[in-house]
């Protein structure tokens, strides 16, 4: 049972708001325990294209977080880093590597910057990160963009990920339903967390980072990825051409090759 201490008694949470599942066991020696964190309005299935391509040493655990596509009412009553800590606590031992996508990168960085992140992973992979290094980079146009284009962002996400052929009308209807599940409070928590990124104490993040972005990403701009790469001591940044917000789906082979090579090279170092 997930610890939901701190949530007001009037808040109703689906059970369980967080789950963590072993989605692929390691088959090679010296396994690496990897925790996969999805973004807003997404889910653990976003990592499916990577599972079969992951290095044989990777023991892959996928979290279903309360900001998933179906939505969990009341999740905004707690800080996002607390939900990540819940996911970490559900694993049999702390993760060696954390891989996060989109809004999940904000949650992961908030967790690493908090007291919960004291026992840090050996390496972190940020995929399509939402990050800005200075508060001055946020302006009214930033709010207008993410608020007014939220529905279109959801539609583009479905178009990039869906293996089914859907009419534009059907896709839009689903996007409206997902938007309503997230609701104003969910959107506000998303943007409030994004606004906090300039305050993440990156000087404390001493583990190596792999940062992967898409050159055509209209949600997490390539400039976010490069800004984070410049903000930390040890980061390898790759912006993939002709790739949008889901590089694990639109460029699965390249994505897997980058992650596998990085983990082989960097995660062998001791904690």
């Amino acid at each position: 049972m997930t610890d939901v201490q701190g949530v007001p008694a009037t808040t109703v949470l689906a059970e369980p708001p967080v789950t963590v599942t072993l989605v692929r066991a390691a088959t090679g020696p010296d396994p690496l325990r990897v925790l996969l964190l999805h973004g807003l309005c997404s889910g653990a299935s976003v990592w499916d294209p990577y599972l079969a391509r992951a290095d044989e040493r990777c023991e892959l655990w996928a979290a279903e977080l309360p900001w998933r596509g179906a939505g969990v009412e009341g999740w905004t009553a707690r800080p996002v880093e607390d939900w990540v800590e819940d996911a970490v606590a559900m694993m049999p031992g702390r993760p060696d590597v954390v891989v996060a996508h989109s809004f999940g990168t904000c949650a992961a960085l908030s967790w690493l910057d908090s007291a919960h992140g004291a026992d840090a992973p050996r390496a972190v992979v940020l995929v399509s990160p939402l990050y800005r290094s200075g508060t001055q980079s946020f302006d009214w146009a930033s709010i207008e963009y993410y608020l007014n284009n939220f529905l279109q962002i959801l539609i583009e996400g479905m178009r990039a990920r869906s293996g089914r052929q859907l009419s534009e009308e059907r896709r839009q209807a689903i996007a409206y339903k997902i938007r309503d599940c997230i609701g104003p409070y969910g959107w506000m928590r998303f943007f409030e967390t994004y606004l906090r990124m300039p305050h993440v104490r990156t000087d404390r993040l001493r583990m190596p980072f792999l940062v992967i972005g898409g050159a055509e990403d209209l949600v997490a701009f390539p400039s976010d990825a490069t800004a984070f790469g410049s903000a930390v001591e040890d980061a390898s940044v790759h912006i993939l051409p002709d790739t949008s917000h889901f590089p694990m789906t639109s460029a699965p082979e390249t994505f897997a090759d980058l992650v596998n090579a990085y983990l082989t090279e960097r995660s062998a170092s001791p904690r």
Side-chain angles (χ1 to χ4, degrees):
M1 180 70 68
T2 301
D3 176 15
V4 292
Q5 185 178 5
V7 177
T10 55
T11 300
V12 178
L13 289 174
E15 294 294 342
V18 176
T19 61
V20 178
T21 305
L22 177 63
V23 291
R24 206 208 68 172
T27 58
D30 190 23
L32 287 170
R33 191 179 298 113
V34 180
L35 175 61
L36 305 169
L37 305 175
H38 64 76
L40 185 69
C41 309
S42 186
S45 63
V46 74
W47 303 109
D48 286 354
Y50 173 61
L51 301 186
R53 297 177 173 88
D55 187 276
E56 63 179 5
R57 293 189 304 143
C58 291
E59 178 186 290
L60 301 175
W61 294 80
E64 287 283 2
L65 297 157
W67 50 80
R68 53 188 177 262
V72 175
E73 184 180 356
W75 69 269
T76 58
R78 298 178 72 201
V80 294
E81 55 266 30
D82 287 0
W83 294 117
V84 175
E85 177 61 19
D86 284 352
V88 169
M90 290 178 178
M91 298 179 66
R94 309 287 282 193
D96 297 306
V97 181
V98 170
V99 182
H101 176 245
S102 191
F103 179 64
T105 66
C106 296
L109 291 174
S110 297
W111 171 70
L112 289 168
D113 189 42
S114 69
H116 298 311
D119 188 11
R122 296 189 211 175
V124 177
V125 179
L126 301 181
V127 185
S128 305
L130 288 156
Y131 177 83
R132 301 193 188 187
S133 57
T135 56
Q136 71 280 359
S137 63
F138 287 104
D139 53 20
W140 290 110
S142 303
I143 300 175
E144 291 173 359
Y145 181 83
Y146 286 100
L147 181 60
N148 296 337
N149 293 301
F150 189 45
L151 185 70
Q152 190 58 38
I153 286 170
L154 296 177
I155 292 172
E156 289 300 322
M158 284 191 292
R159 186 178 288 116
R161 292 179 52 206
S162 178
R164 299 180 296 160
Q165 293 297 321
L166 297 174
S167 68
E168 286 303 308
E169 293 76 11
R170 178 61 177 159
R171 190 176 283 116
Q172 187 175 67
I174 295 172
Y176 271 116
K177 185 171 291 188
I178 295 172
R179 184 200 66 175
D180 291 344
C181 284
I182 293 297
Y185 282 94
W187 186 90
M188 289 292 291
R189 177 50 57 91
F190 147 72
F191 201 74
E192 175 267 334
T193 306
Y194 192 10
L195 287 171
R196 280 199 286 134
M197 290 300 98
H199 303 293
V200 170
R201 293 163 290 187
T202 52
D203 59 301
R204 301 175 61 192
L205 306 182
R206 301 300 179 87
M207 71 288 293
F209 286 85
L210 171 64
V211 184
I212 301 175
E216 307 302 322
D217 194 341
L218 298 179
V219 182
F221 299 110
S223 57
D224 285 32
T226 55
F228 182 80
S230 299
V232 293
E233 182 178 292
D234 188 351
S236 176
V237 180
H238 298 263
I239 306 299
L240 307 186
D242 303 317
T243 302
S244 58
H245 193 55
F246 296 87
M248 69 287 276
T249 299
S250 56
E253 297 290 348
T254 302
F255 175 83
D257 288 346
L258 284 171
V259 175
N260 292 340
Y262 189 75
L263 295 183
T264 298
E265 175 188 355
R266 305 306 301 270
S267 64
S269 61
R271 288 185 182 274

